[in-house]
């Protein structure tokens, strides 16, 4: 069964509005979660690493003020796309490691397809 | 640097065998992962190789040669449901995953 739950699965919003995406670890504690973005026919791109109780680490080129990440508990991380624009339309996927260890596999949420009109 | 390559698309026949190759170049290496991603869905974990050799898991096997910077995913007894994109990703010295662009596998009856 799924070990990482992501909500919503899809969302359509108007340009200029904000959208919040939730990522929950099911039955395990995730001190670290990862947020990815994937454009059609392209590879996964790591946006940021979400750390419980501290600030997220953003990848180069990702605007931290636009993509707000909050990891307030060991089972929940949220990504808020602020003032969304059509170019933010993409597939956003969160992930976490079920087992401690830097080389353990990532388990992904089902993803959120964001369409900004 | 970070460099990882895999074919964009492959076609195979139901019941057959297909091998998807992945090459990479990196100064630091902590293993290679294969994931399956169906259209519109998130990736699901298939395999992890950190030592040279072949790891077999049912119909799927994954091979790694660290000296050659080369891995392949072998799919046997192909089924229509195997139609998906297959992503390889290596883990660098900082334990960051570096993803390939994925290989779209098309299975024909």
């Amino acid at each position: 069964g799924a070990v990482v739950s992501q909500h919503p699965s899809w969302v359509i919003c108007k340009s200029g509005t904000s959208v919040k995406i939730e990522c929950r670890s099911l039955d395990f504690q995730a001190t670290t979660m990862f947020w990815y973005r994937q454009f059609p026919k392209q590879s996964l791109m790591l946006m940021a690493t979400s750390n419980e109780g501290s600030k997220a680490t953003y990848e180069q080129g990702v605007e931290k003020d636009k993509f707000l990440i909050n990891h307030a508990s060991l089972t929940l991380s949220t990504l808020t796309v602020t003032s969304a624009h059509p170019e933010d339309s993409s597939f956003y996927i969160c992930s976490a490691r079920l087992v401690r260890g830097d080389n353990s596999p990532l388990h992904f949420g089902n993803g959120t397809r964001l369409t900004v009109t | 640097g970070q460099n990882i390559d895999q074919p964009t698309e492959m076609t195979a026949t139901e019941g057959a065998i297909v091998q998807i190759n992945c090459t990479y170049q990196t100064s630091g290496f902590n293993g290679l992962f294969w994931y399956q991603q169906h259209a519109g869905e998130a990736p699901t974990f298939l395999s992890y190789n950190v030592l040279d050799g072949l790891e077999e898991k049912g119909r799927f096997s994954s091979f790694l040669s660290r000296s050659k910077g080369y891995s392949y995913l072998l799919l046997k007894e192909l089924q229509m449901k195997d139609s998906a994109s297959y992503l390889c990703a290596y883990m660098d010295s900082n334990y960051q995953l570096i993803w390939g662009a994925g290989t779209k596998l098309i299975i024909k009856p």
Side-chain angles (χ1 to χ4, degrees):
Chain A
V3 296
V4 178
S5 173
Q6 189 172 339
H7 178 80
S9 299
W10 59 271
V11 59
I12 302 173
C13 71
K14 292 185 177 181
S15 186
T17 60
S18 296
V19 174
K20 180 187 283 189
I21 303 170
E22 292 186 348
C23 181
R24 295 182 184 274
S25 58
L26 304 179
D27 299 325
F28 74 99
Q29 295 179 334
T31 55
T32 303
M33 290 185 178
F34 303 89
W35 287 96
Y36 285 86
R37 181 168 55 183
Q38 187 178 36
F39 292 104
K41 299 183 179 180
Q42 293 189 22
S43 183
L44 293 168
M45 291 179 56
L46 180 65
M47 298 176 66
T49 301
S50 172
N51 304 297
E52 187 269 334
S54 65
K55 292 182 179 180
T57 304
Y58 289 82
E59 295 301 303
Q60 193 173 7
V62 178
E63 300 174 57
K64 62 180 180 181
D65 294 330
K66 180 171 181 60
F67 299 98
L68 300 178
I69 291 175
N70 184 285
H71 196 152
S73 78
L74 287 170
T75 58
L76 174 64
S77 175
T78 61
L79 168 68
T80 301
V81 183
T82 63
S83 186
H85 291 285
E87 56 265 31
D88 298 325
S89 298
S90 186
F91 191 47
Y92 293 85
I93 319 172
C94 70
S95 66
R97 292 195 168 95
L98 177 60
V99 178
R100 280 190 180 274
D102 288 329
N103 59 352
S104 63
L106 289 176
H107 291 270
F108 289 86
N110 287 331
T112 298
R113 186 158 305 281
L114 171 63
T115 303
V116 184
T117 60
Chain B
Q2 301 173 350
N3 199 357
I4 181 166
D5 291 302
Q6 53 182 129
T8 303
E9 186 174 296
M10 298 182 70
T11 303
T13 305
E14 189 177 16
I17 299 173
V18 71
Q19 177 175 310
I20 303 174
N21 296 324
C22 176
T23 58
Y24 62 91
Q25 293 175 318
T26 179
S27 53
F29 180 78
N30 280 298
L32 188 132
F33 294 84
W34 283 96
Y35 281 79
Q36 180 190 60
Q37 185 177 25
H38 284 100
E41 299 180 10
T44 55
F45 170 73
L46 289 178
S47 67
Y48 171 64
N49 294 69
V50 66
L51 300 176
D52 290 349
L54 186 69
E55 296 272 348
E56 296 187 71
K57 202 183 282 187
R59 292 190 299 115
F60 293 6
S61 303
S62 56
F63 172 83
L64 175 68
S65 169
R66 289 172 296 172
S67 62
K68 295 181 180 178
Y70 168 67
S71 173
Y72 67 73
L73 181 69
L74 190 72
L75 292 76
K76 303 177 184 176
E77 302 170 15
L78 285 170
Q79 301 175 9
M80 297 303 293
K81 67 177 182 179
D82 297 330
S83 293
S85 285
Y86 291 86
L87 311 175
C88 66
Y90 73 81
M91 187 166 278
D92 68 11
S93 55
N94 294 319
Y95 294 95
Q96 288 247 21
L97 275 176
I98 310 302
W99 294 86
T103 298
K104 183 179 180 180
L105 178 63
I106 299 169
I107 310 296
K108 295 186 174 180

